[in-house]
Amino acid sequence: MGRDSKYSFSRWEAAAAASVVASFGLVLVAVYLSMPSSDYSFLKLPRSVEDIQDLRDNLESYTSDYTIQVLVGYCTVYIFMQTFMIPGTIFMSLLAGALFGVLRGVALVVFAATAGASSCYFLSYLIGRPLVFLLWPDKLSFFQEQVAKRREKLLNYMLFLRVTPTLPNTFINVASPIVDVPYHIFFLATIIGLIPAAYVTVRAGIALGELRSVADLYDFQAIATLFFIGIVSVTPTLINKSQTVNDA
């Protein structure tokens, strides 16, 4: 009985998820209706560098003439993908660079990724427990132990996780409310910690012609840099532990 309730959704939980999907759908319909009549068959969720190049070529003119609609549509799709853990947001980040340049692209990606992560956090708080227990039981136990041990310097630890690929961002988004990571810490770690990776991806989007695959984004130097930033973020925690041991 207890096991069944842990892994199943109630009717209201299913209704909550459906209402969120419907809300995103209504926004996209509103954006579509505000655009001029044209052939939009090129619009699709990108799954490759070639898809990004095709979207860039078709959306460049719309970006200058219908900037608000493109921005709202972009953010809605990105947030929807983050909320429901749909793979491919890295391609959306590349598209931001291709359409908006580095500064505006990074700001857009960090905003959309933070909003999407927050949406996923609150949706998981309401209905995510069965899914997390089903998909990542061992990883959830590990995460819960680490959060409990680092409660006093939790922001540093969450920053480390966001900057480095130690744990998938999707898992962090959905598991954080379940292991009692406070939202203000989750939010700060997300909006700050995603900047380095966003910069790398958005900058690559400017030179799509030189990019053969997503694997080219994160070479050894890029990964080493992210880990260095992550280590810097947890240094205060390590120093505090060392001082505590010496005082004892």
Side-chain angles (χ1 to χ4, degrees), residues 63-82:
T63 301
S64 58
D65 297 333
Y66 300 92
T67 306
I68 299 299
Q69 289 92 327
V70 173
L71 284 173
V72 172
Y74 176 92
C75 288
T76 302
V77 172
Y78 201 119
I79 294 170
F80 178 83
M81 294 174 71
Q82 284 277 74

Side-chain angles (χ1 to χ4, degrees), residues 46-232:
R47 288 288 179 263
S48 66
V49 174
E50 289 74 21
D51 289 343
I52 296 297
Q53 292 170 335
D54 185 48
L55 284 170
R56 177 200 60 190
D57 294 342
N58 284 282
L59 285 174
E60 277 182 329
S61 60
Y62 292 104
T63 301
S64 58
D65 297 333
Y66 300 92
T67 306
I68 299 299
Q69 289 92 327
V70 173
L71 284 173
V72 172
Y74 176 92
C75 288
T76 302
V77 172
Y78 201 119
I79 294 170
F80 178 83
M81 294 174 71
Q82 284 277 74
T83 301
F84 292 97
M85 302 181 294
I86 299 173
T89 52
I90 190 170
F91 295 111
M92 295 294 291
S93 299
L94 286 169
L95 182 61
L99 292 177
F100 301 104
V102 175
L103 294 180
R104 289 189 298 171
V106 169
L108 183 62
V109 168
V110 171
F111 165 77
T114 303
S118 298
S119 178
C120 184
Y121 177 99
F122 288 114
L123 188 63
S124 179
Y125 179 81
L126 294 175
I127 65 173
R129 191 173 297 271
L131 184 64
V132 179
F133 274 106
L134 182 65
L135 294 179
W136 304 291
D138 296 333
K139 195 173 291 186
L140 181 64
S141 297
F142 169 79
F143 189 34
Q144 195 162 26
E145 291 173 3
Q146 297 303 311
V147 168
K149 287 194 300 185
R150 294 168 168 80
R151 184 66 63 180
E152 292 184 4
K153 296 288 184 180
L154 190 54
L155 178 59
N156 299 95
Y157 177 62
M158 293 298 293
L159 276 171
F160 174 80
L161 293 181
R162 283 303 195 189
V163 172
T164 67
T166 306
L167 286 175
N169 279 321
T170 297
F171 171 78
I172 296 171
N173 295 342
V174 75
S176 289
I178 296 172
V179 299
D180 297 323
V181 175
Y183 176 69
H184 70 280
I185 289 179
F186 176 88
F187 174 82
L188 287 173
T190 302
I191 199 169
I192 298 171
L194 292 181
I195 292 174
Y199 174 78
V200 171
T201 310
V202 169
R203 191 166 180 269
I206 297 176
L208 281 178
E210 302 174 8
L211 195 65
R212 291 170 295 178
S213 71
V214 176
D216 295 339
L217 285 174
Y218 296 101
D219 55 15
F220 175 79
Q221 183 178 356
I223 293 175
T225 301
L226 292 178
F227 266 104
F228 174 76
I229 297 172
I231 291 171
V232 170

